Amino acid sequence: MNETTNPARQRPAGRAPRLVGTVACEGLAHAKYAAGLGLALALVTALLSWVFVKAEWVGRGWFAAPAVLAVAVLLRLTLLAPSL
């Protein structure tokens, strides 16, 4: 028998690279939103650290965590910003 293949049932060539490219571009497009969220988290962490240091529950070393987070976010927004 002479069977013909249905082109609609065949998997299109190159589907995986397109999917990877789409996911990568969406990740780059939302990098600024994630960095903004990180900056808000750094602010909340700094305020909580300030409250706990004032109450003398923790030492001043706890200011390092929000400072490091803020520096990382600012680097991500400026020097390491993704370009599409």
Side-chain angles (χ1 to χ4, degrees):
M1 276 191 167
N2 187 5
E3 293 183 23
T4 59
T5 59
N6 186 357
R9 294 184 68 185
Q10 290 180 350
R11 194 172 179 187
R15 180 178 175 200
R18 284 188 289 166
L19 180 63
V20 170
T22 301
V23 170
C25 286
E26 284 180 6
L28 290 175
H30 297 298
K32 289 187 178 181
Y33 297 120
L37 210 60
L39 196 56
L41 180 64
L43 178 66
V44 168
T45 308
L47 290 174
L48 284 173
S49 297
W50 178 73
V51 168
F52 293 151
V53 169
K54 280 291 191 187
E56 296 179 359
W57 293 340
V58 295
R60 291 182 180 258
W62 282 87
F63 286 124
V68 168
L69 184 59
V71 167
V73 167
L74 291 175
L75 282 175
R76 178 68 175 153
L77 286 172
T78 56
L79 297 177
L80 304 174
S83 59
L84 294 176

